[in-house]
Amino acid sequence: MVASSLQLRDVGKSFPAPDQPLTRQPVLETISISLEAGELVSLVGPSGCGKSTLLRLIAGLDFPDSGELLVDEEPISGPSAERGLVFQDPNLFPWLTVRRNIEAGLAARGVLQQKRSEVKEFMRLVGLEAFADAYPHHLSGGMAQRVALARALINHPKVLLLDEPLGALDAFTRMRMQDEVLRLWQNRRTTMLLVTHDIDEAIYMSDRIIILTQRPGTIEQIIPIALDRPRDRSSSDFLSLRSEILELLHFAGNRTSEVTA
Amino acid sequence: MLQGQKISRQSQVTVGSVPSDQVRAESTERYALSAQEKKHPTAALLTVPVTAALALGIHLFVAKNEPPNESRTYTIVLGSFFAGAIVAAVMQRWWPALQTRMRRFRPLFTVGVLLLCVWEVITSGFRMLPLPYFPSPAGVVQSMINDRGLLFDSTWHSLVLLLSGYLLGVVAGLVTGVCIGWSGPARYWGMPLLKVVGPIPATAWIPLAMVISPSALISAAGLIALAVWFPVTMLTASGISNTRASYLDVARTLGANARYLVFRIAIPAALPSIFVGLFMGLGASFLTLVVAESVGVKSGLGWYVSWAQGWAEYGKVYAALVIMAVFFSTIMTLLFKLRDRVLVWQKGMIRW
Ligand SMILES: Nc1ncnc2c1ncn2[C@@H]1O[C@H](COP(=O)(O)OP(=O)(O)OP(=O)(O)O)[C@@H](O)[C@H]1O
Ligand SMILES: [Mg+2]
């Protein structure tokens, strides 16, 4: 599977203000990012700055007011299985069992018959084989998130957009899933854009970290992470980078407002 | 490793047992021994046989006021109920399934038999109600047995008519409901039509139906279908248009086409609402069936009731009503069973 490159040029998006429907409030302004094929980039920013909105634009579920979004130099015209999105809420289909939820990606493209063997593999990947026949209602929040992750991964998207996919997991599972996601990323060289509130996760996983400002979200800073992989969370390089970024966020936080990190 | 173990152990406890066992456990718990039953286990066992014996006694006491053949038949009915109650009370010791069932239905049976006693006392016993309008239970049972051929035939005709009308209405309602719920233009044109035509009770169309249709049977099926169509369409449309947008968004990022969105996302998401429509439609279909049969169609239970009434044979009227009650509630129960199967995934999410 080849990865895709991703270009955002001066993207802006606004929504009708909740109190006065006639005026629009900007949510994203002049966002320009370029992701190389196979790059893993994290997106960090305060709550409500438009991170989820940005991912929806890239997924093709919404359209920008201004600017343009390109995948492999082609403008994005709508959703596609080549751009997978793991939503902030797991949004599992409650009428399907765990297995059928994971199969949904294949079924939606009509390739379930040919690729059924992969379902087991992804169920093992997220550690939910024992729950194959359970309905989503019986899962914990973290389990549901893992199912949602498997459901998006099974389509082998060229671009994978992750909206805090590991947010509801305990520290231990979280670290294991980070390694699993990294392993998938390395095997398939998928282009990934990861929204996270966890600075350690951002440093551990990404090639670059993009920091957004308070709403309307603009790019505050882009920090390249030049550490060798596999990274060691307790190495001195890691820790000094971490305190550097926290200081930066604190500085940014003073100027805008508090950054949830 | 550790994680995997933890998960599989959890699964045995929660998921494996949730769908059936836990629910069964719950229901046994609800009908567990009451304090009295624990104190007097034999007394509790005997409530149904004892009431049956009481009913039999009362019946034999008032039997002199009843025609002998009616009385004999009713004696046999009550006698076999009494014998059955004794057998069940004895058998339940070795048959746990029967035991739970008995425990659950014991109060209902007891009160039901007592009501039969009251009925017999105020009709045959004291003759408090005018004949022939209020026959005794013995009279009703006798009519049922005497006229069993015609009653069976009528039930069969009603069943065929009901099912053909109901299924036609459901199919039509699902199609129009999905169209109106999913597509903007269909909603624009369909909704006003639905709002204007839908609330008219199907029975109000009877005069028109009689004029246009070649046969009373076809027009009755059409009227039942119309009665079912409206609630099914309404609730299907509202279920479809209330599908959570995020489910559709997820499916679209998975590469779903419009067909998948409608049939695999919107319709399953709307099923709880669709079932409400199916139940409302079923109620409407019973009503329409009986009315249509009593005014136009020359067969079925509705026709039988008005025919028997014409001859002032009220025993037969009540016999038909009893059969109607059993017939309709059986169909209702079947629909509940279907819902329980189709919507298992809701178990635990809503009050079941
Ligand atoms: N469909 C919509 N209509 C109106 N306003 C919206 C809509 N979607 C998002 N917004 C607004 O856009 C802003 C950004 O929302 P978004 O969900 O992108 O934030 P976020 O950065 O993902 O926040 P969080 O970290 O809390 O998830 C919010 O103020 C929200 O109210
Ligand atoms: Mg968000």
Side-chain angles (χ1 to χ4, degrees):
Chain A
M1 186 66 52
V2 275
S4 298
S5 66
L6 191 63
Q7 262 113 45
L8 278 63
R9 294 201 192 118
D10 276 333
V11 170
K13 177 78 185 166
S14 63
F15 284 112
D19 37 354
Q20 315 130 280
L22 292 181
T23 59
R24 294 177 76 84
Q25 53 178 1
V27 171
L28 288 170
E29 270 175 359
T30 60
I31 302 282
S32 297
I33 320 172
S34 170
L35 268 68
E36 286 165 34
E39 209 180 0
L40 201 170
V41 174
S42 289
L43 204 56
V44 180
S47 181
C49 72
K51 304 182 293 294
S52 300
T53 307
L54 188 62
L55 294 201
R56 283 180 66 85
L57 292 176
I58 300 172
L61 293 170
D62 275 336
F63 295 96
D65 297 340
S66 57
E68 52 181 357
L69 297 105
L70 307 170
V71 169
D72 289 334
E73 320 289 322
E74 295 287 324
I76 293 174
S77 61
S80 141
E82 309 220 310
R83 270 166 285 123
L85 171 55
V86 179
F87 290 71
Q88 200 163 2
D89 296 327
N91 279 320
L92 301 182
F93 304 129
W95 57 89
L96 297 180
T97 59
V98 165
R99 185 204 314 280
R100 310 264 269 132
N101 260 289
I102 294 175
E103 284 172 358
L106 301 176
R109 289 187 299 144
V111 295
L112 181 57
Q113 291 310 325
Q114 301 93 290
K115 307 215 167 170
R116 197 182 284 277
S117 55
E118 291 190 28
V119 176
K120 255 209 143 68
E121 180 192 325
F122 279 92
M123 227 140 44
R124 188 157 1 139
L125 176 80
V126 294
L128 285 166
E129 298 139 295
F131 282 82
D133 296 316
Y135 284 100
H137 166 68
H138 299 301
L139 302 181
S140 73
M143 290 168 164
Q145 265 190 339
R146 283 181 278 154
V147 178
L149 188 61
R151 180 173 63 177
L153 288 173
I154 202 163
N155 271 344
H156 303 304
K158 294 180 179 175
V159 176
L160 186 57
L161 308 163
L162 301 159
D163 201 346
E164 295 184 55
L166 311 179
L169 302 183
D170 63 280
F172 186 82
T173 317
R174 191 181 176 113
M175 285 196 266
R176 193 174 66 88
M177 290 308 297
Q178 285 171 359
D179 286 331
E180 291 292 356
V181 172
L182 279 179
R183 193 172 57 78
L184 276 169
W185 170 70
Q186 270 156 349
N187 288 348
R188 303 225 169 83
R189 303 307 305 183
T190 311
T191 310
M192 285 198 196
L193 187 55
L194 169 75
V195 170
T196 176
H197 283 313
D198 179 350
I199 294 298
D200 284 3
E201 180 168 284
I203 301 173
Y204 184 69
M205 310 263 301
S206 30
D207 297 325
R208 288 186 289 163
I209 301 180
I210 299 173
I211 299 175
L212 295 182
T213 61
Q214 188 84 6
R215 196 181 71 199
T218 52
I219 293 179
E220 165 89 37
Q221 190 134 20
I222 300 185
I223 304 167
I225 310 290
L227 302 175
D228 290 336
R229 293 174 191 273
R231 291 172 182 166
D232 177 358
R233 290 172 226 261
S234 52
S235 72
S236 58
D237 286 349
F238 192 101
L239 293 174
S240 64
L241 195 57
R242 181 173 185 272
S243 51
E244 222 171 275
I245 292 173
L246 281 176
E247 204 153 307
L248 222 152
L249 283 174
H250 184 64
F251 175 63
N254 277 348
R255 258 201 310 173
T256 54
S257 130
E258 209 205 336
V259 171
T260 18
Chain B
M1 204 49 230
L2 204 136
Q3 189 65 17
Q5 279 175 352
K6 194 174 135 211
I7 286 166
S8 66
R9 198 169 335 117
Q10 268 179 336
S11 81
Q12 282 167 1
V13 185
T14 56
V15 168
S17 60
V18 158
S20 56
D21 304 349
Q22 190 176 309
V23 173
R24 204 167 299 143
E26 244 168 47
S27 64
T28 23
E29 208 170 274
R30 202 184 303 163
Y31 302 105
L33 291 167
S34 68
Q36 272 177 322
E37 280 178 313
K38 272 183 199 147
K39 227 187 269 169
H40 310 286
T42 3
L45 275 183
L46 288 179
T47 42
V48 180
V50 165
T51 13
L54 176 75
L56 202 54
I58 291 181
H59 168 64
L60 293 176
F61 186 72
V62 302
K64 58 179 188 312
N65 294 341
E66 291 169 349
N69 62 333
E70 280 183 16
S71 170
R72 200 172 335 110
T73 314
Y74 197 52
T75 310
I76 294 170
V77 169
L78 283 180
S80 21
F81 185 77
F82 174 66
I86 297 263
V87 170
V90 174
M91 291 276 283
Q92 67 169 356
R93 284 195 64 156
W94 299 283
W95 193 357
L98 182 68
Q99 194 171 25
T100 356
R101 224 152 254 233
M102 292 276 294
R103 205 170 280 157
R104 179 169 170 188
F105 291 115
R106 196 176 292 141
L108 274 177
F109 274 150
T110 310
V111 172
V113 173
L114 284 177
L115 285 177
L116 283 179
C117 292
V118 172
W119 180 8
E120 187 160 31
V121 167
I122 58 179
T123 51
S124 298
F126 296 113
R127 298 219 179 277
M128 289 162 75
L129 296 173
L131 282 172
Y133 307 110
F134 299 101
S136 69
V140 173
V141 170
Q142 187 62 40
S143 312
M144 208 180 281
I145 289 169
N146 286 348
D147 225 8
R148 59 188 178 278
L150 190 52
L151 275 170
F152 183 82
D153 217 46
S154 303
T155 311
W156 172 250
H157 278 106
S158 287
L159 179 69
V160 171
L161 181 54
L162 182 76
L163 284 190
S164 49
Y166 184 71
L167 293 180
L168 188 67
V170 167
V171 170
L174 287 177
V175 172
T176 47
V178 170
C179 292
I180 290 175
W182 186 259
S183 119
R187 192 199 326 267
Y188 179 84
W189 295 108
M191 233 13 191
L193 185 73
L194 196 65
K195 280 188 179 154
V196 172
V197 176
I200 302 175
T203 47
W205 296 102
I206 284 178
L208 184 65
M210 282 174 163
V211 173
I212 41 180
S213 159
S215 104
L217 215 56
I218 291 178
S219 63
L223 286 178
I224 295 171
L226 182 66
V228 175
W229 169 81
F230 174 58
V232 173
T233 304
M234 254 328 195
L235 280 134
T236 304
S238 90
I240 297 273
S241 58
N242 288 332
T243 307
R244 270 174 58 176
S246 53
Y247 294 152
L248 296 170
D249 284 345
V250 170
R252 291 200 292 155
T253 61
L254 294 175
N257 55 17
R259 221 181 86 194
Y260 190 90
L261 293 181
V262 174
F263 289 97
R264 296 306 168 92
I265 306 294
I267 292 182
L271 272 178
S273 170
I274 291 176
F275 265 95
V276 176
L278 293 181
F279 279 108
M280 290 172 58
L282 192 60
S285 74
F286 294 157
L287 177 77
T288 314
L289 172 79
V290 173
V291 174
E293 282 178 342
S294 33
V295 302
V297 184
K298 293 278 174 289
S299 62
L301 286 169
W303 163 82
Y304 184 92
V305 167
S306 50
W307 172 80
Q309 192 216 0
W311 293 100
E313 299 215 48
Y314 283 87
K316 290 184 179 177
V317 171
Y318 293 112
L321 288 180
V322 169
I323 288 175
M324 231 183 246
V326 174
F327 171 56
F328 289 161
S329 64
T330 307
I331 291 178
M332 196 62 107
T333 308
L334 290 178
L335 188 58
F336 269 109
K337 287 245 146 66
L338 180 69
R339 184 206 64 168
D340 290 356
R341 279 192 84 130
V342 174
L343 299 183
V344 260
W345 53 271
Q346 278 198 318
K347 205 170 246 184
M349 262 165 94
I350 54 166
R351 276 197 65 178
W352 189 248

